[in-house]
Amino acid sequence: YNIETFSPALGTKINEIPDLIDERFKKIATTNKEQNATISEVLKAGYRRKLSDSTFQIISKAKVRVYIFEES
């Protein structure tokens, strides 16, 4: 069935891969502005199917933790 797991890379901006991650992500506070809205941890890999034209169909999105900037 060509089904495989995938995990987004740590440090990836979530707005670059919205179709790959669950929108109900867990948030981690950070005081580093550069980390804002980046993946800090992959909690559960996603599943996708490789199609005959070499594109992917997302079966389930990855569950992640995301850094959210908070001024101290």
Side-chain angles (χ1 to χ4, degrees):
Y1 296 101
N2 294 325
I3 295 174
E4 59 186 44
T5 61
F6 69 91
S7 294
L10 300 182
T12 302
K13 292 274 188 190
I14 61 171
N15 62 347
E16 296 173 0
I17 55 166
D19 296 338
L20 301 181
I21 61 168
D22 190 323
E23 55 276 347
R24 297 168 293 168
F25 52 81
K26 299 193 182 288
K27 299 174 184 176
I28 301 280
T30 183
T31 57
N32 181 343
K33 280 187 179 182
E34 292 183 18
Q35 287 182 322
N36 188 49
T38 62
I39 295 174
S40 65
E41 181 181 358
V42 176
L43 301 172
K44 186 175 179 187
Y47 288 89
R48 63 186 179 187
R49 179 185 354 232
K50 189 170 186 177
L51 303 176
S52 59
D53 63 358
S54 294
T55 60
F56 291 98
Q57 173 190 19
I58 302 301
I59 297 169
S60 68
K61 297 180 179 185
K63 296 189 184 306
V64 298
R65 281 201 174 118
V66 176
Y67 286 120
I68 300 298
F69 176 72
E70 293 181 3
E71 291 192 44
S72 53

